[in-house]
Amino acid sequence: MTPPPARRRRGTAPERSLPRRGSVRRSQMITTYGVGSLVAVDNESFIVSGTDSWNVSDAPIIHEHRLANILGVKYFRLPPASDDTSRDGVRVRRFPLWHSCPKCGTLQHVRGFNSPPGKNECGDCEEELVPSRFVMACAHGHIDDFPYWKWAHRNNRQVGETGLCGGTMRLRSSGKTASLRSILISCGCGVPEVSMEGAFRGKALSDLKVRCDGRRPWLKDAPAEACSEAPRTLQRGSSVAWQAIVKTALSIPPWSGGLAARLTDHWDELRVMTRDEIKIYLKALTVKESYEFSLDAVVTLLHAENHEDEGEDGEQSKDSAYVALRKTEYERLSEGNPESSADRDEQFICEPPKTSASALVPYGVSTPMLVKRLREVRALKAFSRIDTPDTHSDIHEAQLSLAPQEWLPAMEVQGEGVFLRLDERRLDAWAQSVAVAARVERIRNNQLRQLRERAKDPKAVPASPTTPRTVLLHTLAHALINEWSLDGGYPTSSLRERLYADDKMAGFLIYTATSDSAGSLGGLVAQGEPTRLEKSLPSALSRARWCSADPLCVESEASGAGGINLAACHACVLLPETSCELNNGLLDRALLIGTPEDPSIGFFHDTQSL
């Protein structure tokens, strides 16, 4: 653990004021410290400013036409990087604004401490100020300082209503326990000292007549919005204080070559041209850019775009567009894209293995596809507070900038993977089992109950998408990731799943999930060879048959957040959160191998003797 920095004390000579800098990885600007999130730098706290204040002049541009079309932007950008000599970077603003002095205990707005220029310390005690541990936020994404004054005066109605007392507020800790009861707030006006106990109740702030002012401190000069949501108290570092809404897409033909990126600035003109006009336009463009543009390839791209745009109008079609995006990927992964027919700029190479996959037939696994080269783009569309995308049906998406922009922050991952499909006929026959349907129904009911508890209108909660096919594919993907991590030497967190599960899809892609060298060594593709898969698949199922937490794990009636898992725990099939698409939900290894009382409910129950 890194020790805290030494206290800065004033000497006889004035200390040089240096600009405050903190650093995070570019990928963290999409998943952890994106726009609107709170980031701690040394002993201070800041909120990341909107994308309209970023300096992106040197930030690389990322092209992924399919995803950009759905999100309504032209392109994506990597978050800017900076060093000690550059002025580029992501801007932040100080938040929360209420601080306390650890020596004298004064609790007030940071401007009231009379700090020396360039420093954040108490003007009287020369001690570094401590940002407030608590903030208040609402489900519409607004965030503000915790109302300490109203909380301290909540039992004195006369003073609380007038808003005048003239006292100085102080914060101290009794040190008796680590609970909120030990955090005490007092005021010099003489009101009784109160603790923070009860501040996290759902109606704690509403009872004080505290309303959300609609403030968006991450957006410069943003006017306050009218908001009817009830604010709630949160800890500054709480996981629900900021939740990224990230959309992803694989680069697949015809968009995975270099042609689509070269034509990004010309789409508007090309869309309205005839074939003859496009031919003339490309001739001029070839001379200008010294690149040979193929007329047939450009026309193919335009036809592909028109096909994807059909039926897209309104918010409802946007949801269906994401489903269509996955279906297109599933079709391309199933079909493949051989290396022999691809050019050198091709970012998607997918081929079947050269050896026979007949040994996998008893397991209901179709011929695996070896994805020797792939590229995934992950874009930060928006963010949420209080409600999370996986637990709330009508989540509000807070905007990243005050005015709409033609780009979104994104990152790209280039690596490799293995695509597996299950026999759909065998899947449908297995899913008709009464015992299988009963287990999945329990998961579905727990998920619906969780959604109803969090929804504003419980009657408006949509039907759960949980099906036997979804749970089985998801759990099998987790089992194989754990197995390949042990067999191939990959860190589990460096692998990631991508599920394709509905009435017409029954497969999943396991691929490298990091942008470092772990995704370029070929070790993961080797796991998809039938000679290795026929060993690793039975081994993964064998590990799933026994968990060190059994019999509690396999007999569990509900587990995981919200009880949306059955037989699944950290000792068997749970993965790091970065590896799972569904936040470790909708898992049940009993659907793989059955239970001791009823082995037949497992899809692979009859393979134990193989």
Side-chain angles (χ1 to χ4, degrees):
M1 181 180 293
T2 304
R7 299 288 187 184
R8 294 176 295 180
R9 300 186 182 277
R10 292 181 184 173
T12 54
E15 184 177 355
R16 181 184 177 189
S17 176
L18 297 175
R20 295 181 177 85
R21 281 184 177 269
S23 61
V24 297
R25 295 189 300 273
R26 272 176 160 170
S27 60
Q28 289 180 305
M29 295 303 302
I30 307 299
T31 58
T32 310
Y33 298 119
V35 173
S37 66
L38 299 177
V39 54
V41 179
D42 293 334
N43 292 331
E44 301 178 68
S45 176
F46 302 92
I47 191 168
V48 180
S49 297
T51 55
D52 46 6
S53 68
W54 291 11
N55 188 343
V56 294
S57 56
D58 296 330
I61 293 178
I62 298 175
H63 297 285
E64 179 47 54
H65 189 84
R66 296 167 62 240
L67 185 61
N69 193 33
I70 292 176
L71 297 180
V73 295
K74 290 186 177 180
Y75 56 89
F76 304 99
R77 281 189 182 271
L78 274 174
S82 61
D83 53 36
D84 293 336
T85 60
S86 69
R87 299 182 63 86
D88 292 346
V90 175
R91 303 295 183 258
V92 297
R93 305 181 67 191
R94 188 181 300 281
F95 186 85
L97 297 179
W98 274 65
H99 288 55
S100 62
C101 175
K103 186 173 182 179
C104 65
T106 302
L107 174 67
Q108 61 183 351
H109 195 282
V110 67
R111 290 196 299 264
F113 285 98
N114 194 27
S115 300
K119 297 183 179 180
N120 188 44
E121 62 182 39
C122 179
D124 298 327
C125 306
E126 301 182 10
E127 288 286 335
E128 290 184 343
L129 300 177
V130 179
S132 168
R133 281 179 55 187
F134 310 103
V135 296
M136 71 173 190
C138 78
H140 279 179
H142 305 130
I143 191 168
D144 206 346
D145 284 277
F146 181 79
Y148 285 105
W149 194 90
K150 289 190 176 182
W151 182 258
H153 295 80
R154 67 182 187 273
N155 295 324
N156 190 321
R157 294 186 177 180
Q158 184 176 357
V159 175
E161 290 176 358
T162 60
L164 301 173
C165 72
T168 300
M169 298 186 62
R170 299 186 183 278
L171 180 147
R172 72 180 183 90
S173 175
S174 65
K176 296 180 180 179
T177 66
S179 66
L180 295 174
R181 185 179 300 178
S182 296
I183 302 176
L184 304 173
I185 311 294
S186 62
C187 183
C189 67
V191 296
E193 190 176 51
V194 299
S195 73
M196 289 295 296
E197 185 177 19
F200 285 83
R201 290 188 298 106
K203 296 185 178 180
L205 298 181
S206 299
D207 293 342
L208 293 179
K209 298 182 179 180
V210 175
R211 301 290 182 264
C212 178
D213 292 331
R215 293 182 179 175
R216 298 169 289 172
W218 68 94
L219 299 178
K220 183 179 180 181
D221 301 328
E225 292 183 320
C227 182
S228 59
E229 288 288 325
R232 290 183 55 183
T233 304
L234 298 177
Q235 291 212 55
R236 176 162 46 93
S238 171
S239 61
V240 296
W242 189 85
Q243 289 281 335
I245 300 177
V246 178
K247 300 299 181 181
T248 66
L250 296 181
S251 295
I252 61 174
W255 306 103
S256 52
L259 179 61
R262 292 178 181 273
L263 293 175
T264 299
D265 297 331
H266 307 280
W267 283 116
D268 293 337
E269 293 87 350
L270 292 171
R271 286 190 184 102
V272 297
M273 291 182 181
T274 63
R275 184 181 179 91
D276 292 337
E277 291 173 337
I278 294 175
K279 184 177 181 179
I280 298 173
Y281 188 89
L282 292 179
K283 285 183 178 180
L285 197 60
T286 298
V287 175
K288 180 180 179 181
E289 299 193 8
S290 301
Y291 179 86
E292 188 67 30
F293 290 92
S294 169
L295 175 61
D296 292 336
V298 173
V299 173
T300 300
L301 285 176
L302 291 171
H303 286 169
E305 183 185 43
N306 292 335
H307 177 72
E308 293 176 359
D309 287 343
E310 290 178 359
E312 291 189 11
D313 54 340
E315 293 297 325
Q316 183 63 31
S317 65
K318 288 298 181 184
D319 295 335
S320 61
Y322 291 119
V323 177
L325 183 144
R326 285 292 176 104
K327 289 183 177 180
T328 307
E329 292 177 2
Y330 181 79
E331 294 171 358
R332 176 55 68 172
L333 286 166
S334 302
E335 179 183 347
N337 188 41
E339 187 172 8
S340 58
S341 62
D343 58 34
R344 64 178 184 177
D345 294 330
E346 181 59 53
Q347 297 172 318
F348 181 82
I349 302 296
C350 179
E351 299 176 327
K354 296 181 180 180
T355 57
S356 173
S358 58
L360 303 177
V361 174
Y363 295 93
V365 177
S366 303
T367 301
M369 298 297 288
L370 308 181
V371 188
K372 298 181 179 180
R373 191 186 305 166
L374 66 79
R375 172 179 178 265
E376 182 194 32
V377 174
R378 305 173 189 169
L380 178 63
K381 178 188 178 186
F383 67 90
S384 66
R385 305 193 198 276
I386 308 295
D387 299 327
T388 59
D390 59 310
T391 58
H392 206 277
S393 57
D394 52 352
I395 189 170
H396 181 84
E397 299 182 355
Q399 62 191 58
L400 303 183
S401 60
L402 191 58
Q405 293 188 299
E406 61 181 12
W407 62 275
L408 286 174
M411 61 174 289
E412 58 181 351
V413 173
Q414 295 183 349
E416 61 193 18
V418 177
F419 176 66
L420 293 178
R421 288 180 297 159
L422 295 184
D423 186 339
E424 294 193 42
R425 292 184 179 179
R426 182 171 168 178
L427 265 176
D428 293 337
W430 165 80
Q432 292 176 1
S433 168
V434 176
V436 170
R439 288 189 71 88
V440 176
E441 186 66 22
R442 280 156 55 186
I443 296 177
R444 184 186 297 109
N445 290 337
N446 289 339
Q447 186 185 37
L448 288 174
R449 174 183 50 78
Q450 182 188 52
L451 291 175
R452 291 191 184 101
E453 289 175 353
R454 297 174 179 266
K456 302 175 186 177
D457 184 7
K459 297 181 180 180
V461 173
S464 170
T466 307
T467 63
R469 183 177 294 197
T470 302
V471 179
L472 174 67
L473 290 168
H474 190 202
T475 310
L476 179 60
H478 278 227
L480 280 176
I481 287 176
N482 281 326
E483 179 65 24
W484 290 349
S485 174
L486 296 173
D487 188 34
Y490 283 90
T492 309
S493 59
S494 70
L495 301 179
R496 186 176 173 88
E497 67 181 4
R498 192 168 180 87
L499 300 175
Y500 301 91
D502 66 5
D503 295 339
K504 298 182 180 180
M505 296 189 294
F508 56 85
L509 172 69
I510 297 177
Y511 61 104
T512 50
T514 59
S515 54
D516 59 15
S517 59
S520 60
L521 302 179
L524 183 58
V525 167
Q527 297 297 326
E529 292 288 346
T531 53
R532 298 186 68 95
L533 195 55
E534 64 178 321
K535 297 178 181 179
S536 62
L537 180 57
S539 178
L541 296 175
S542 178
R543 294 180 186 276
R545 287 189 176 94
W546 177 251
C547 171
S548 60
D550 282 339
L552 295 178
C553 178
V554 75
E555 295 176 355
S556 174
E557 294 292 329
S559 64
I564 58 175
N565 292 335
L566 291 183
C569 70
H570 285 283
C572 51
V573 296
L574 296 190
L575 295 176
E577 291 185 1
T578 55
S579 300
C580 180
E581 278 197 305
L582 303 178
N583 291 331
N584 277 327
L586 307 182
L587 294 166
D588 181 15
R589 63 187 173 90
L591 295 186
L592 295 180
I593 43 83
T595 62
E597 295 79 13
D598 188 4
S600 64
I601 66 174
F603 182 80
F604 301 98
H605 77 279
D606 55 354
T607 63
Q608 188 170 1
S609 59
L610 296 177

